[in-house]
Amino acid sequence: MKHTPGPWKISLEAVNTKSLEIIGGRDRIAELNAMGVKLDNDKLFANARLIAAAPELLEALKSLRAVAYFQREITDSREGMDALAKVEAVLAKVK
């Protein structure tokens, strides 16, 4: 694993009206800043929640991939294999 291990969280201490931070352990993962951009607080927090969930999403995707390859109804269908190809493409981005 090359990324900072999870869990990641939104740092409530860093929240102000224009920016916030995502923290993983003692590491600052990201700062989201809406200065100069028309981005409301709902979108800013939605983006932060998605980023903060990244390690858990990655682990869930890996788990689903492992199980899916043993399910014939998935591997024997075009839709199943298309879905697994998307999973593989996403996982390749984080290697």
Side-chain angles (χ1 to χ4, degrees):
M1 171 183 359
K2 297 177 184 177
H3 62 81
T4 302
W8 295 356
K9 64 179 184 166
I10 300 169
S11 174
L12 298 178
E13 293 90 37
V15 173
N16 63 49
T17 58
K18 302 217 190 279
S19 67
L20 52 89
E21 294 178 334
I22 308 298
I23 304 295
R26 294 179 179 224
D27 295 335
R28 184 166 101 180
I29 305 301
E31 180 178 347
L32 282 76
N33 189 317
M35 292 177 21
V37 177
K38 194 169 188 168
L39 189 66
D40 61 36
N41 276 350
D42 289 343
K43 281 189 181 177
L44 188 67
F45 274 93
N47 291 341
R49 286 191 298 272
L50 181 59
I51 293 167
E56 294 163 276
L57 290 168
L58 177 61
E59 289 307 311
L61 195 55
K62 287 179 180 178
S63 294
L64 283 170
R65 175 186 61 180
V67 170
Y69 278 114
F70 292 103
Q71 302 298 316
R72 290 196 61 127
E73 53 275 0
I74 293 173
T75 58
D76 286 349
S77 73
R78 180 177 177 89
E79 295 86 3
M81 291 307 294
D82 288 347
L84 281 171
K86 289 177 185 178
V87 167
E88 295 295 348
V90 168
L91 291 175
K93 289 181 180 182
V94 297
K95 285 187 178 180

